[in-house]
mmCIF file of all heavy atoms in Angstrom:
data_model
loop_
_atom_site.group_PDB
_atom_site.id
_atom_site.type_symbol
_atom_site.label_atom_id
_atom_site.label_comp_id
_atom_site.label_asym_id
_atom_site.label_seq_id
_atom_site.Cartn_x
_atom_site.Cartn_y
_atom_site.Cartn_z
ATOM 1 N N LEU A 18 89.477 -7.452 110.846
ATOM 2 C CA LEU A 18 88.138 -7.214 110.296
ATOM 3 C C LEU A 18 87.976 -5.762 109.847
ATOM 4 O O LEU A 18 87.407 -5.498 108.779
ATOM 5 C CB LEU A 18 87.057 -7.584 111.317
ATOM 6 C CG LEU A 18 86.813 -9.078 111.479
ATOM 7 C CD1 LEU A 18 86.083 -9.360 112.783
ATOM 8 C CD2 LEU A 18 86.039 -9.633 110.285
ATOM 9 N N ARG A 19 88.480 -4.822 110.637
ATOM 10 C CA ARG A 19 88.419 -3.407 110.240
ATOM 11 C C ARG A 19 89.194 -3.195 108.943
ATOM 12 O O ARG A 19 88.759 -2.451 108.062
ATOM 13 C CB ARG A 19 88.964 -2.501 111.347
ATOM 14 C CG ARG A 19 88.022 -2.374 112.533
ATOM 15 C CD ARG A 19 88.551 -1.495 113.668
ATOM 16 N NE ARG A 19 89.248 -0.323 113.204
ATOM 17 C CZ ARG A 19 90.526 -0.036 113.515
ATOM 18 N NH1 ARG A 19 91.233 -0.831 114.275
ATOM 19 N NH2 ARG A 19 91.077 1.073 113.062
ATOM 20 N N ARG A 20 90.323 -3.846 108.821
ATOM 21 C CA ARG A 20 91.134 -3.732 107.612
ATOM 22 C C ARG A 20 90.396 -4.326 106.411
ATOM 23 O O ARG A 20 90.362 -3.735 105.329
ATOM 24 C CB ARG A 20 92.471 -4.439 107.842
ATOM 25 C CG ARG A 20 93.430 -4.286 106.715
ATOM 26 C CD ARG A 20 94.814 -4.818 107.099
ATOM 27 N NE ARG A 20 95.747 -4.336 106.113
ATOM 28 C CZ ARG A 20 96.298 -3.125 106.110
ATOM 29 N NH1 ARG A 20 96.043 -2.279 107.075
ATOM 30 N NH2 ARG A 20 97.110 -2.757 105.151
ATOM 31 N N ASP A 21 89.781 -5.497 106.583
ATOM 32 C CA ASP A 21 89.025 -6.125 105.504
ATOM 33 C C ASP A 21 87.822 -5.273 105.111
ATOM 34 O O ASP A 21 87.489 -5.153 103.928
ATOM 35 C CB ASP A 21 88.566 -7.521 105.913
ATOM 36 C CG ASP A 21 89.714 -8.515 105.994
ATOM 37 O OD1 ASP A 21 90.842 -8.196 105.553
ATOM 38 O OD2 ASP A 21 89.479 -9.626 106.517
ATOM 39 N N TYR A 22 87.162 -4.674 106.112
ATOM 40 C CA TYR A 22 86.047 -3.763 105.843
ATOM 41 C C TYR A 22 86.513 -2.614 104.955
ATOM 42 O O TYR A 22 85.913 -2.315 103.921
ATOM 43 C CB TYR A 22 85.482 -3.233 107.173
ATOM 44 C CG TYR A 22 84.693 -1.950 107.026
ATOM 45 C CD1 TYR A 22 83.368 -1.972 106.633
ATOM 46 C CD2 TYR A 22 85.294 -0.717 107.269
ATOM 47 C CE1 TYR A 22 82.647 -0.792 106.476
ATOM 48 C CE2 TYR A 22 84.591 0.458 107.115
ATOM 49 C CZ TYR A 22 83.268 0.416 106.720
ATOM 50 O OH TYR A 22 82.569 1.593 106.562
ATOM 51 N N TYR A 23 87.584 -1.968 105.360
ATOM 52 C CA TYR A 23 88.053 -0.812 104.596
ATOM 53 C C TYR A 23 88.508 -1.233 103.204
ATOM 54 O O TYR A 23 88.265 -0.518 102.217
ATOM 55 C CB TYR A 23 89.168 -0.062 105.327
ATOM 56 C CG TYR A 23 89.403 1.278 104.682
ATOM 57 C CD1 TYR A 23 88.568 2.357 104.976
ATOM 58 C CD2 TYR A 23 90.391 1.452 103.727
ATOM 59 C CE1 TYR A 23 88.736 3.577 104.339
ATOM 60 C CE2 TYR A 23 90.560 2.663 103.090
ATOM 61 C CZ TYR A 23 89.737 3.719 103.397
ATOM 62 O OH TYR A 23 89.888 4.919 102.760
ATOM 63 N N ASP A 24 89.149 -2.374 103.077
ATOM 64 C CA ASP A 24 89.567 -2.884 101.775
ATOM 65 C C ASP A 24 88.346 -3.032 100.862
ATOM 66 O O ASP A 24 88.363 -2.586 99.713
ATOM 67 C CB ASP A 24 90.279 -4.225 101.954
ATOM 68 C CG ASP A 24 90.822 -4.798 100.659
ATOM 69 O OD1 ASP A 24 90.821 -4.123 99.614
ATOM 70 O OD2 ASP A 24 91.268 -5.969 100.690
ATOM 71 N N GLU A 25 87.285 -3.634 101.364
ATOM 72 C CA GLU A 25 86.106 -3.840 100.520
ATOM 73 C C GLU A 25 85.439 -2.525 100.130
ATOM 74 O O GLU A 25 85.131 -2.314 98.960
ATOM 75 C CB GLU A 25 85.083 -4.755 101.189
ATOM 76 C CG GLU A 25 83.883 -4.956 100.270
ATOM 77 C CD GLU A 25 82.960 -6.069 100.666
ATOM 78 O OE1 GLU A 25 83.360 -6.967 101.435
ATOM 79 O OE2 GLU A 25 81.813 -6.038 100.184
ATOM 80 N N VAL A 26 85.200 -1.627 101.093
ATOM 81 C CA VAL A 26 84.484 -0.396 100.731
ATOM 82 C C VAL A 26 85.331 0.496 99.827
ATOM 83 O O VAL A 26 84.803 1.131 98.914
ATOM 84 C CB VAL A 26 83.941 0.377 101.963
ATOM 85 C CG1 VAL A 26 82.921 -0.460 102.721
ATOM 86 C CG2 VAL A 26 85.026 0.853 102.881
ATOM 87 N N ALA A 27 86.639 0.537 100.051
ATOM 88 C CA ALA A 27 87.505 1.348 99.191
ATOM 89 C C ALA A 27 87.606 0.740 97.797
ATOM 90 O O ALA A 27 87.524 1.456 96.789
ATOM 91 C CB ALA A 27 88.898 1.481 99.819
ATOM 92 N N SER A 28 87.765 -0.567 97.712
ATOM 93 C CA SER A 28 87.867 -1.234 96.414
ATOM 94 C C SER A 28 86.593 -1.056 95.599
ATOM 95 O O SER A 28 86.649 -0.806 94.386
ATOM 96 C CB SER A 28 88.163 -2.724 96.607
ATOM 97 O OG SER A 28 89.434 -2.907 97.199
ATOM 98 N N ARG A 29 85.456 -1.157 96.246
ATOM 99 C CA ARG A 29 84.190 -0.936 95.533
ATOM 100 C C ARG A 29 84.097 0.499 95.039
ATOM 101 O O ARG A 29 83.675 0.757 93.923
ATOM 102 C CB ARG A 29 83.003 -1.226 96.449
ATOM 103 C CG ARG A 29 82.674 -2.665 96.590
ATOM 104 C CD ARG A 29 81.315 -2.795 97.236
ATOM 105 N NE ARG A 29 81.019 -4.170 97.546
ATOM 106 C CZ ARG A 29 79.803 -4.612 97.766
ATOM 107 N NH1 ARG A 29 78.778 -3.784 97.710
ATOM 108 N NH2 ARG A 29 79.593 -5.869 98.047
ATOM 109 N N TYR A 30 84.475 1.428 95.887
ATOM 110 C CA TYR A 30 84.365 2.840 95.531
ATOM 111 C C TYR A 30 85.248 3.172 94.327
ATOM 112 O O TYR A 30 84.827 3.867 93.395
ATOM 113 C CB TYR A 30 84.738 3.716 96.728
ATOM 114 C CG TYR A 30 84.603 5.187 96.450
ATOM 115 C CD1 TYR A 30 83.352 5.794 96.455
ATOM 116 C CD2 TYR A 30 85.714 5.964 96.173
ATOM 117 C CE1 TYR A 30 83.210 7.151 96.184
ATOM 118 C CE2 TYR A 30 85.583 7.321 95.905
ATOM 119 C CZ TYR A 30 84.333 7.901 95.916
ATOM 120 O OH TYR A 30 84.198 9.245 95.643
ATOM 121 N N TRP A 31 86.490 2.672 94.347
ATOM 122 C CA TRP A 31 87.434 2.998 93.281
ATOM 123 C C TRP A 31 87.285 2.089 92.052
ATOM 124 O O TRP A 31 87.907 2.340 91.026
ATOM 125 C CB TRP A 31 88.863 2.948 93.799
ATOM 126 C CG TRP A 31 89.153 4.064 94.755
ATOM 127 C CD1 TRP A 31 88.767 5.370 94.637
ATOM 128 C CD2 TRP A 31 89.887 3.981 95.967
ATOM 129 N NE1 TRP A 31 89.224 6.095 95.713
ATOM 130 C CE2 TRP A 31 89.919 5.261 96.551
ATOM 131 C CE3 TRP A 31 90.522 2.941 96.624
ATOM 132 C CZ2 TRP A 31 90.551 5.534 97.749
ATOM 133 C CZ3 TRP A 31 91.158 3.204 97.823
ATOM 134 C CH2 TRP A 31 91.164 4.494 98.372
ATOM 135 N N GLY A 32 86.531 0.998 92.198
ATOM 136 C CA GLY A 32 86.352 0.093 91.078
ATOM 137 C C GLY A 32 87.592 -0.715 90.750
ATOM 138 O O GLY A 32 87.763 -1.178 89.623
ATOM 139 N N ARG A 33 88.460 -0.889 91.737
ATOM 140 C CA ARG A 33 89.697 -1.659 91.582
ATOM 141 C C ARG A 33 90.157 -2.053 92.979
ATOM 142 O O ARG A 33 89.731 -1.461 93.970
ATOM 143 C CB ARG A 33 90.781 -0.820 90.896
ATOM 144 C CG ARG A 33 91.136 0.428 91.691
ATOM 145 C CD ARG A 33 92.432 1.070 91.250
ATOM 146 N NE ARG A 33 92.665 2.326 91.930
ATOM 147 C CZ ARG A 33 93.118 2.448 93.183
ATOM 148 N NH1 ARG A 33 93.358 1.391 93.915
ATOM 149 N NH2 ARG A 33 93.317 3.647 93.705
ATOM 150 N N PRO A 34 91.034 -3.048 93.072
ATOM 151 C CA PRO A 34 91.534 -3.408 94.404
ATOM 152 C C PRO A 34 92.278 -2.242 95.059
ATOM 153 O O PRO A 34 93.086 -1.578 94.416
ATOM 154 C CB PRO A 34 92.495 -4.575 94.133
ATOM 155 C CG PRO A 34 92.032 -5.139 92.817
ATOM 156 C CD PRO A 34 91.522 -3.959 92.037
ATOM 157 N N ALA A 35 91.966 -2.002 96.311
ATOM 158 C CA ALA A 35 92.692 -0.981 97.076
ATOM 159 C C ALA A 35 94.100 -1.484 97.357
ATOM 160 O O ALA A 35 94.313 -2.683 97.562
ATOM 161 C CB ALA A 35 91.973 -0.691 98.385
#
Side-chain angles (χ1 to χ4, degrees):
L18 284 162
R19 287 179 39 238
R20 185 171 194 82
D21 289 350
Y22 159 82
Y23 193 81
D24 183 9
E25 181 167 341
V26 297
S28 295
R29 280 193 187 199
Y30 182 78
W31 291 318
R33 61 165 174 78

